[in-house]
Amino acid sequence: METQVYQAILERRPAQIIPRLKEMLTKPDPALGYLNGELRFWLGWAQEVAGDHAAAQESWRQARSELEPFLNEQPENYSLIGDLALTNMGLGDKAAALALSERAMAAVPIEKDAVDGPLPIEILARVTAQMGEPDRAVAALQKLLSIPYEGPLAVNVLLTPALLQLDPMFDPLRNDPRFQKLAESPAPKL
């Protein structure tokens, strides 16, 4: 489902996916645990891209309230921490979003885990792009584009120059020449 939502967001046509997400979340499956909150984050992102800021804010507030209790049970779950970072980013809570991004990176440092370590770096890139820290965002993106990894969003979709051109989370960086260079560079041969 996340892949379908991400595709709709990349195409900037999320309207068709929003009702499906809402339907899924009317009766969340308790067996999914924190993933229900993650789906609610996706709903908020789709609503934001669709131009419904108020609905997105409400979805993100609900996502945060669903995700936070799991953090006490799973304090080292970098995926959960990343979901909370992105949710707080959507809510405009820069301090919480940055702190959670850094916490996720500390939970799975790239120096100790080359497979999963890049995932929180992508979360940091997204958060800093949205929260007005282009230097940190570009530095994180430069690192990510130089290494192989599996992305944290959708089903292991890693960032590429082509995705940078499409992903609305990076819209605040569009006029930055450093970002433009990254987005126009050829994809690395991994």
Side-chain angles (χ1 to χ4, degrees):
M1 184 60 172
E2 290 174 353
T3 302
Q4 292 174 12
V5 178
Y6 192 43
Q7 179 70 33
I9 287 170
L10 291 174
E11 292 174 356
R12 313 250 178 171
R13 295 185 303 175
Q16 77 270 11
I17 204 81
I18 291 171
R20 289 183 56 203
L21 278 169
K22 284 181 177 179
E23 183 180 331
M24 289 177 66
L25 290 165
T26 55
K27 294 180 184 169
D29 181 354
L32 291 177
Y34 78 90
L35 296 177
N36 289 309
E38 183 176 286
L39 277 177
R40 203 165 303 279
F41 159 76
W42 282 96
L43 172 61
W45 190 14
Q47 291 167 322
E48 184 71 24
V49 171
D52 193 345
H53 183 70
Q57 291 293 301
E58 180 54 35
S59 292
W60 286 327
R61 278 191 291 276
Q62 194 169 351
R64 182 168 58 187
S65 69
E66 291 174 3
L67 291 167
E68 283 178 338
F70 288 100
L71 195 55
N72 294 329
E73 302 166 17
Q74 304 170 39
E76 298 298 313
N77 182 336
Y78 59 87
S79 182
L80 168 61
I81 298 166
D83 289 341
L84 268 166
L86 292 170
T87 300
N88 279 287
M89 173 197 75
L91 289 168
D93 188 341
K94 181 177 181 175
L98 289 172
L100 287 160
S101 297
E102 290 164 6
R103 179 175 172 180
M105 290 189 335
V108 60
I110 194 168
E111 299 80 15
K112 292 185 180 177
D113 190 332
V115 174
D116 292 335
L119 306 181
I121 296 172
E122 182 176 324
I123 299 299
L124 178 71
R126 292 173 175 283
V127 167
T128 53
Q130 285 286 303
M131 305 308 294
E133 296 204 13
D135 294 341
R136 290 181 75 186
V138 168
L141 291 171
Q142 287 170 334
K143 175 75 172 171
L144 291 170
L145 291 176
S146 72
I147 59 174
Y149 77 103
E150 294 180 345
L153 299 183
V155 180
N156 300 322
V157 177
L158 73 149
L159 287 178
T160 63
L163 269 180
L164 290 179
Q165 294 173 29
L166 299 172
D167 194 313
M169 270 194 205
F170 298 108
D171 285 354
L173 301 175
R174 299 271 171 237
N175 294 325
D176 187 310
R178 299 167 300 171
F179 177 81
Q180 291 169 350
K181 184 177 177 184
L182 289 172
E184 293 167 2
S185 64
K189 307 244 187 309
L190 305 174

